[in-house]
Amino acid sequence: KLCGYLQKLSGKGPLRGFRSRWFVFDPRRCYLYYFKGPQEALPLGYLDIASACFSYHQPEAGAAAGDEAAAFEVHNPNGAVAVLKAATRQDMTYWLQELQQKRWEYCNNLDAAKRDSRTSPTPSDFSKGLVAKDNPGSILSQNASAERARNILAVETSPTDLVGEQAASQPAPVQPSAINFSLKQWSTEIKNSMSSLRKGNNENRKSIFYTTEEWELLDPTPKDLEDSMALEEKRKHLAEGSKGLTSSAFPFEFGRIPHKTRRPLKDMIGSSKSRNSSDSSPTEWCAGNGNKLVSELQLKYQSQQEELEKLKKDLLSQKELVRLLQQTVRSSQYDKYFTSRLCEGIPKDKLELLHQKDDQILGLNNQLEKLNLEKDSLQQEVKNLKCKVGELNDRLGMLMETIQAKDEVIMKLSRQLSDCEDVTSSQSGAVNSSMATCTNKELQELDRLKDNLQGYKTQNKFLNKEILELAALRRNAEAREREWQAKYTSLEAKLCQIESKYLILLQEMKTPVCSEEQSPAREVITQLLEDALKAETSEQPEQAFFKPHLVSEYDIYGFQTVPEDDEEEKLVAKSRALDLKSLSLSDNREISAGVKWENYLASTMNREMIRCVELKNLIRSGIPHEHRSKMWKWCVNLHVKKFKDSTVPGYFQTLLQNALEKQNPASKQIELDLLRTLPNNKHYSSPTSEGIQKLRNVLLAFSWRNPDIGYCQGLNRLVAIALLYLEQEDAFWCLVTIVEVFMPRDYYTKTLLGSQVDQRVFKDLMSEKLPRLHAHFEQYKVDYTLITFNWFLVVFVDSVVSDILFKIWDSFLYEGPKVIFRFALALFKYKEEDILKLQDSMSIFKYLRYFTRTILDARKLTAIAFGDLNPFPLRQIRNRRTYHLEKVRLELTELEAIREDFLRERETCVEKRDLISDDEEDS
C-alpha cells in the first residue's frame, strides 16, 4: 500500500507554507488522497495521478546538504501545480518512481481489451466470484522499445520509515513555522474532529495502523515513570555508599598532589607531546619512573593491608574459641569436684566416662596454650608491619616532594621549549597554511561538482523516463480517440440508414402506391427485422472492431440478453435490452452515485467500515459493479460473525469433505437441479461450466450443516446469484445468512411454513399500502400470491431484469428480509394504473406473469420502495408473522388429519385402494 507522510504547499499570503499531510494512493481511480492524519475519516482532497506529470529541481550541493527535505511538483492538465516535499531525497525518489509506475499501470489498463460501456475500467482484483472471470485483466501488448527504455531509465530506491503503513506510528514531520490547519477545507476538518469525538465510534474506528499494545509501550503511565525514577535514585545511593565503605578502609589518600600543580602539568605534558611527539627529554623519563614506583608501592601497601585485615579476623575467631574452651574447662572441673564427693558409689563405666572427659579437658588446655603463643607471635608481626607501613609512608612522602620539584623543572623547560617552537613555526606555518587552505578548497569544490553531476544524472534519467511515458500515454490516448471516432462514424452511418428506411415507411403509410402484396413497406419491414435480429459478427475482423455493439449476447452478469428460441420473444428481449442501454447511457445520476461511492470508500481507507445512515443510503442506491464483491462479503460477515467465530478454521472444507465421502440424502436432488438453476446464465449453462461445480460444493456443504433442511428447491438459485460475486466459502456463508439469520424457521423446509406465512403478511400489507389494487384483485378473485410466492422464496431471481435484481440484493444483504416486502409492493405500485385498466381475471393473471420484466427504471423503483411506501416498521411485520403463523399451523394440522382419514378409508374401502397421493406418486 503506497502511503506515507508528505508536506504539501498550501495557503495564501502570510499563511502560505508547507503542511504535513498523510497521503494514500487509491488504485481504483488512480487518485492520491491526502488526509490531515492517518486516523482521519474524510480526505482533505486528492490529486489525479492518471493525467498528471512530475518534475523536480536539482539543488546545488551546498543547498542540498543544508536542507534534508526534497520537493517535487505534480502538474495537472488544468494548469494546477501541487508542490509536495518529502523528508529526504531518498523518499522523494521513491514516491516519484512509485507514482510513475502506478500511472503507467492504470493508463495501460484503460487500453485493456473491450469493456462494457456501463462499467468503469477497474482492476480485476477488486471483483471476486464468477463475474470477475469475465473482466479481462491482461494489458495490451505495449511498445517493446518503450518498455526496454523504461527499464533502463528506472531509478530503483528503497523507502525509509516515513513511507508505508508502518509510517503511521511515526510522528508527523510538522514544519514549526506552518499552521497545520487548512482554512480551505475547514468543513472537512470539523467533520473529522466531530467524527473522532462521536460517542460509540471509538471502538469501531480503530486505525488499521495502531494497536493498543504499541501505545502502551510508547506512552508509559506517570506512576510507572515515578517508580522507575525512585528505583534509579536508590541504586545511586547504594553505589555511593559502597564506594565510601571501600575507600574508608585505607588510612589516607594516594592522590595528594594539589589541584593547582597537577592540572598545569598534565596540560603542559599534553601540549608538549602534540608539538613534538618524537622527542622525549630526560626529565620526562624521570617523571615516568617516579610515577611507576609510586604505583608499585601503592599496590604493595594495599596487598599488605588486606593481609592484615585477614589476620585480624582470624585472631578474633581464635579468641572466641579460647573463651568457649575456658568455660568448658571450668564447668568440667566443677562437675568433677562434686562427683568425686557425692558419687563415690558410682559404677565403673561411668567413672571411665568421667576420666575420658578429664583427658579431653587437658587436651583443650594444651591447645589453648598453643593458641596463646600464636596470638603473641601474630601481635608481634602486626607491630612489625606497622613499622614497615610507617617507613613506606615516609618514603612515599619524600618521593612526592621529589616529583613535585621535578614537575616545576619540567614546567619551566616546557615554557622555554614552547617559546622557541613558536618563533620557528610562525615562519613555516604561514606557508603551509596557505597551501593547505588552497588544497582544501579545491577538494571541496571537486566534491561539490561530483555531487551536482550525480544529481543531474539522476534528474536527467527521471525526466527522460517521464517524457517517454508521457509520449507513450499520448499515443495510446490518440489511438483510443481514433477508435471512438471510427465507432461514432459507424453509428452515424447506421442512424442515417435507419432514418432513411423509417422515412420510406412513413411515406408508404401516408400514400400507398400499390397493392398490399407488392408493397415495398413489407420488404422494408422484413429487412429491418432481419437486420435487428442478425448476429453481431462480421467476416472482416477490422470491420468488426469498429462496429458498434449496442447489445451483446450476454450482460455483465453473464445472463443471456436475447433468447434463441422464440422469434417474437427474441425481438421483445432485444428491444428491452436496447431500452436498458439507452437508460443507462442517458442517466447521469449513475455517475454521481459512483463519485459518492468513491468518496465514501476513500474515507474508509484509514478505518474500518461500520453501519451508518450514509452507508445505508448508498447501498439503497445500488453498489457499483466493481465494488459489489467487497461490499457483499462485508455484509455477509456482518451478519454471520457470531457463527464464524464459533467454528474452527477450515469449517467449510470439512463440511464439504464429509458430504462427499459419506452418504448424503440431498445429493441426488441437488444433482438433478444443477443444470436447471440458471440455464440462461453462461456460468451455469453446461455441465462443464465453472459455476456448476462451485454450486454443487456449496449446496452439499450446506445440506451437511443443516440436515433438517437438507436441500430445498430455491436454495440453488440463491447460491447461484451469490457465486457471481463471491467465492465458494463466502457464498456458503451468504446462504447461511439468508436461511438462518434473515428468514424465519421452516422457511425452506418441506412444509414451507414460513413462506406461506409471509404470503399472508404480504396480503395484509397490500390491503394497507395499495388498497385500490387489492380491492381490484379481490373483485376478480385473482390470487396474486401464486406469483409472489416465488419472489419471496428466491428473492426475485428470474423475476426482474438483472440490473434491478442485483440492486435489490444489495439492500437485501445489508438490511434483511424487510427489503423483499418493500420491493414486492413497489413492483405492484409501479404498474398499478396499468393493472387497474384490466377488467377480467385471465388478462390480469397473464399480465402478472411477465409485467416485472417490463420494469427497467431501477432508480424509480427504488424511490417507490424506500420513499413512497414509508413508514415501514419491521415490528409490524414480526407481529403479523406471529399472528398468521398460528393460523397456518392450525390449518396444516387439519390437513394432516384429513390426510390420515383418507389413508384409513383407502385401506378399508376396496374401490379407493387404487388411488394414490401426490407424495406417493413422486416417490
Side-chain angles (χ1 to χ4, degrees):
K1 187 176 182 180
L2 181 58
C3 56
Y5 281 109
L6 288 174
Q7 293 181 16
K8 185 177 183 295
L9 184 63
S10 58
K12 293 182 180 180
L15 296 179
R16 186 170 178 81
F18 284 98
R19 292 172 174 82
S20 179
R21 296 289 180 254
W22 175 257
F23 282 80
V24 180
F25 180 78
D26 181 12
R28 290 185 295 260
R29 303 187 68 185
C30 201
Y31 283 175
L32 186 64
Y33 291 95
Y34 54 91
F35 303 78
K36 188 176 180 180
Q39 292 180 323
E40 297 297 328
L42 299 176
L44 301 177
Y46 66 87
L47 303 176
D48 188 0
I49 302 300
S51 58
C53 60
F54 314 106
S55 65
Y56 71 93
H57 299 286
Q58 174 62 27
E60 294 295 326
D67 187 9
E68 272 191 9
F72 61 96
E73 298 174 352
V74 181
H75 300 261
N76 286 318
N78 57 3
V81 179
V83 181
L84 307 178
K85 186 162 66 172
T88 62
R89 294 190 64 79
Q90 181 181 355
D91 284 341
M92 180 199 74
T93 308
Y94 180 79
W95 273 100
L96 286 173
Q97 76 180 18
E98 287 299 313
L99 290 176
Q100 270 189 338
Q101 183 65 25
K102 301 294 185 184
R103 180 188 62 189
W104 181 257
E105 292 174 356
Y106 181 83
C107 291
N108 282 322
N109 280 332
L110 287 177
D111 301 328
K114 306 171 186 175
R115 299 175 183 271
D116 190 275
S117 60
R118 287 180 293 171
T119 62
S120 59
T122 53
S124 59
D125 58 347
F126 283 94
S127 294
K128 303 293 181 184
L130 298 172
V131 173
K133 311 294 182 183
D134 300 332
N135 293 335
S138 60
I139 299 174
L140 290 178
S141 59
Q142 302 155 2
N143 192 345
S145 61
E147 194 65 30
R148 253 193 328 272
R150 285 185 71 255
N151 295 332
I152 293 173
L153 297 174
V155 181
E156 296 295 336
T157 307
S158 57
T160 63
D161 293 338
L162 291 177
V163 182
E165 294 184 0
Q166 74 278 0
S169 59
Q170 303 290 332
V174 181
Q175 289 288 334
S177 60
I179 302 174
N180 196 22
F181 185 82
S182 176
L183 295 176
K184 188 176 181 181
Q185 293 94 5
W186 62 271
S187 61
T188 305
E189 296 261 11
I190 294 174
K191 287 179 183 178
N192 284 329
S193 302
M194 294 303 295
S195 62
S196 62
L197 295 175
R198 191 177 298 147
K199 184 179 179 181
N201 283 1
N202 291 333
E203 64 272 13
N204 293 325
R205 292 194 53 204
K206 289 182 180 177
S207 171
I208 60 173
F209 305 114
Y210 292 124
T211 60
T212 308
E213 292 77 13
E214 290 177 353
W215 280 110
E216 289 177 356
L217 290 173
L218 290 174
D219 298 330
T221 60
K223 185 178 179 182
D224 296 337
L225 292 174
E226 292 176 2
D227 295 342
S228 62
M229 292 175 66
L231 184 61
E232 192 66 27
E233 290 293 331
K234 188 176 180 181
R235 288 178 180 173
K236 288 183 179 178
H237 288 310
L238 290 175
E240 292 174 359
S242 62
K243 289 180 181 178
L245 291 173
T246 307
S247 59
S248 64
F250 297 94
F252 62 94
E253 290 185 1
F254 290 110
R256 292 183 177 179
I257 301 174
H259 178 71
K260 292 182 179 179
T261 60
R262 185 172 67 245
R263 185 70 182 181
L265 173 64
K266 183 177 180 181
D267 296 340
M268 293 303 296
I269 291 175
S271 62
S272 175
K273 285 183 179 179
S274 63
R275 290 172 183 172
N276 190 2
S277 61
S278 60
D279 300 336
S280 59
S281 63
T283 55
E284 292 174 357
W285 180 81
C286 292
N289 286 342
N291 290 332
K292 186 176 180 182
L293 181 61
V294 170
S295 62
E296 290 179 355
L297 290 173
Q298 288 176 350
L299 291 174
K300 185 175 181 181
Y301 176 78
Q302 185 177 357
S303 62
Q304 290 180 354
Q305 192 76 12
E306 291 175 356
E307 187 177 356
L308 179 62
E309 292 292 331
K310 185 177 180 182
L311 290 174
K312 283 182 180 180
K313 291 180 182 179
D314 293 342
L315 180 61
L316 290 175
S317 62
Q318 294 295 333
K319 283 182 179 181
E320 182 67 20
L321 180 62
V322 169
R323 186 179 63 80
L324 293 174
L325 291 174
Q326 286 177 351
Q327 290 179 358
T328 306
V329 168
R330 283 197 296 270
S331 63
S332 61
Q333 289 178 351
Y334 183 78
D335 291 341
K336 180 179 179 183
Y337 174 78
F338 280 99
T339 53
S340 61
R341 292 191 176 264
L342 299 176
C343 302
E344 294 179 352
I346 295 175
K348 289 183 178 182
D349 53 350
K350 292 185 178 180
L351 290 175
E352 290 177 358
L353 180 62
L354 291 175
H355 288 306
Q356 291 177 1
K357 295 292 183 179
D358 292 339
D359 294 339
Q360 291 178 359
I361 291 169
L362 291 175
L364 291 173
N365 287 329
N366 294 332
Q367 189 174 1
L368 178 61
E369 292 176 358
K370 291 180 181 179
L371 291 174
N372 288 330
L373 292 175
E374 290 180 1
K375 173 188 172 184
D376 296 337
S377 63
L378 288 173
Q379 288 178 350
Q380 186 63 32
E381 188 175 356
V382 167
K383 290 179 181 179
N384 296 335
L385 289 173
K386 286 183 178 180
C387 294
K388 289 182 180 179
V389 168
E391 293 175 358
L392 290 173
N393 286 334
D394 296 338
R395 189 176 177 183
L396 182 62
M398 293 174 61
L399 289 173
M400 292 295 179
E401 293 174 358
T402 305
I403 290 171
Q404 186 174 357
K406 290 181 179 180
D407 287 343
E408 293 176 357
V409 175
I410 290 170
M411 290 169 61
K412 184 177 180 180
L413 293 175
S414 298
R415 290 193 192 97
Q416 295 176 0
L417 179 62
S418 62
D419 294 339
C420 295
E421 288 179 349
D422 290 340
V423 175
T424 56
S425 62
S426 61
Q427 300 175 356
S428 61
V431 179
N432 294 332
S433 61
S434 62
M435 293 178 63
T437 304
C438 294
T439 306
N440 291 334
K441 287 183 178 179
E442 290 176 356
L443 291 175
Q444 290 176 1
E445 182 67 18
L446 182 61
D447 292 339
R448 188 181 68 82
L449 291 175
K450 286 182 178 179
D451 292 340
N452 284 341
L453 179 62
Q454 185 63 33
Y456 284 122
K457 282 183 179 179
T458 305
Q459 185 185 23
N460 189 32
K461 290 176 68 175
F462 168 76
L463 292 177
N464 285 336
K465 184 182 177 184
E466 183 72 8
I467 293 170
L468 178 69
E469 287 191 2
L470 290 175
L473 296 176
R474 181 179 60 81
R475 287 194 299 270
N476 293 341
E478 290 175 353
R480 283 199 304 273
E481 186 178 0
R482 287 193 297 270
E483 293 168 10
W484 288 115
Q485 186 67 31
K487 290 183 179 180
Y488 168 75
T489 305
S490 177
L491 276 173
E492 191 173 13
K494 188 172 183 179
L495 178 62
C496 291
Q497 293 174 7
I498 293 175
E499 286 185 353
S500 174
K501 295 175 182 178
Y502 177 66
L503 291 174
I504 293 173
L505 283 176
L506 289 179
Q507 181 66 25
E508 176 62 25
M509 296 298 294
K510 182 179 179 181
T511 56
V513 295
C514 54
S515 62
E516 186 177 356
E517 290 78 7
Q518 301 175 355
S519 173
R522 185 175 296 277
E523 297 179 1
V524 173
I525 293 173
T526 304
Q527 185 64 36
L528 285 175
L529 290 175
E530 289 178 0
D531 292 342
L533 298 176
K534 188 184 297 181
E536 295 179 347
T537 58
S538 177
E539 297 179 358
Q540 298 179 357
E542 64 275 5
Q543 293 181 4
F545 183 73
F546 294 111
K547 185 175 181 180
H549 295 276
L550 297 179
V551 178
S552 58
E553 185 180 0
Y554 296 96
D555 61 11
I556 57 175
Y557 314 105
F559 288 100
Q560 197 173 20
T561 55
V562 180
E564 299 177 354
D565 301 331
D566 190 2
E567 284 291 329
E568 184 177 353
E569 181 64 25
K570 190 174 181 180
L571 188 63
V572 173
K574 187 155 188 179
S575 174
R576 188 185 305 128
L578 286 170
D579 290 340
L580 271 174
K581 184 84 170 181
S582 174
L583 189 65
S584 63
L585 291 174
S586 60
D587 191 3
N588 293 326
R589 291 174 295 183
E590 291 289 338
I591 301 175
S592 63
V595 173
K596 291 179 182 178
W597 269 102
E598 293 296 342
N599 293 336
Y600 176 78
L601 293 175
S603 69
T604 62
M605 285 183 179
N606 300 328
R607 62 183 177 92
E608 296 178 358
M609 280 193 295
I610 58 172
R611 301 190 72 160
C612 59
V613 178
E614 179 187 4
L615 180 59
K616 182 170 75 172
N617 292 333
L618 282 175
I619 291 177
R620 284 181 172 183
S621 65
I623 302 173
H625 174 67
E626 60 271 19
H627 303 310
R628 187 165 281 135
S629 295
K630 175 183 176 182
M631 294 305 303
W632 278 20
K633 183 176 180 180
W634 180 80
C635 291
V636 169
N637 290 334
L638 191 69
H639 296 297
V640 296
K641 189 176 186 299
K642 59 181 180 180
F643 295 111
K644 295 181 75 173
D645 291 343
S646 61
T647 59
V648 297
Y651 175 70
F652 170 73
Q653 296 296 332
T654 304
L655 290 175
L656 179 60
Q657 194 69 22
N658 292 333
L660 292 173
E661 293 177 353
K662 300 177 182 178
Q663 187 175 2
N664 188 358
S667 59
K668 182 179 179 181
Q669 189 61 40
I670 290 173
E671 290 296 330
L672 291 175
D673 286 350
L674 286 178
L675 292 177
R676 295 185 294 190
T677 303
L678 293 176
N680 60 338
N681 191 292
K682 64 181 180 180
H683 301 295
Y684 305 100
S685 58
S686 67
T688 58
S689 299
E690 185 180 1
I692 292 295
Q693 181 59 40
K694 292 184 176 181
L695 180 62
R696 179 187 295 111
N697 293 340
V698 175
L699 292 174
L700 287 174
F702 182 80
S703 67
W704 198 260
R705 173 184 169 88
N706 291 277
D708 294 339
I709 298 175
Y711 171 74
C712 171
Q713 288 185 347
L715 298 181
N716 54 338
R717 295 190 174 187
L718 297 175
V719 176
I721 294 298
L723 282 172
L724 291 177
Y725 282 100
L726 300 174
E727 295 298 333
Q728 289 187 76
E729 187 170 354
D730 296 325
F732 165 78
W733 287 113
C734 180
L735 186 60
V736 172
T737 301
I738 296 172
V739 177
E740 301 182 21
V741 180
F742 287 168
M743 300 304 188
R745 294 188 63 182
D746 298 329
Y747 211 89
Y748 293 97
T749 55
K750 187 177 181 180
T751 59
L752 299 176
L753 178 62
S755 303
Q756 297 182 52
V757 170
D758 272 1
Q759 294 310 304
R760 302 197 180 192
V761 174
F762 181 65
K763 274 191 173 183
D764 293 346
L765 293 175
M766 279 283 289
S767 63
E768 178 185 340
K769 301 289 184 181
L770 303 173
R772 287 197 306 151
L773 193 59
H774 179 73
H776 187 68
F777 288 142
E778 291 294 327
Q779 178 184 353
Y780 292 101
K781 295 182 174 53
V782 175
D783 188 6
Y784 52 87
T785 59
L786 297 175
I787 303 296
T788 59
F789 185 85
N790 195 52
W791 297 359
F792 282 75
L793 196 65
V794 296
V795 195
F796 298 100
V797 178
D798 268 351
S799 298
V800 293
V801 295
S802 54
D803 281 350
I804 294 178
L805 171 66
F806 286 95
K807 290 183 186 297
I808 294 174
W809 271 67
D810 294 338
S811 302
F812 171 66
L813 291 179
Y814 182 75
E815 300 184 46
K818 187 173 70 170
V819 171
I820 305 177
F821 289 97
R822 281 185 177 273
F823 276 98
L825 291 170
L827 288 171
F828 281 112
K829 186 172 180 61
Y830 194 105
K831 293 291 185 179
E832 182 178 13
E833 298 300 328
D834 294 340
I835 298 173
L836 291 175
K837 293 177 183 178
L838 303 176
Q839 299 299 323
D840 61 274
S841 59
M842 288 298 296
S843 59
I844 293 174
F845 195 78
K846 183 179 178 181
Y847 183 75
L848 292 180
R849 293 182 62 183
Y850 71 88
F851 85 100
T852 55
R853 308 290 299 181
T854 63
I855 297 176
L856 306 179
D857 193 348
R859 188 172 294 275
K860 180 181 177 182
L861 182 67
T862 304
I864 295 172
F866 295 109
D868 298 349
L869 296 176
N870 284 335
F872 211 92
L874 181 61
R875 181 179 63 257
Q876 180 185 9
I877 295 176
R878 288 175 178 169
N879 293 337
R880 293 188 177 183
R881 273 177 171 170
T882 304
Y883 170 73
H884 287 291
L885 180 62
E886 297 299 327
K887 295 181 66 176
V888 173
R889 280 180 177 168
L890 184 61
E891 291 176 5
L892 288 177
T893 305
E894 293 176 356
L895 288 174
E896 186 64 25
I898 294 172
R899 179 176 177 275
E900 291 177 358
D901 292 340
F902 169 76
L903 292 176
R904 283 196 301 268
E905 186 178 354
R906 189 184 65 175
E907 292 296 330
T908 56
C909 183
V910 179
E911 297 177 355
K912 295 183 180 181
R913 286 183 181 178
D914 296 335
L915 299 176
I916 58 175
S917 64
D918 293 338
D919 294 338
E920 292 173 338
E921 185 177 5
D922 293 339
S923 61

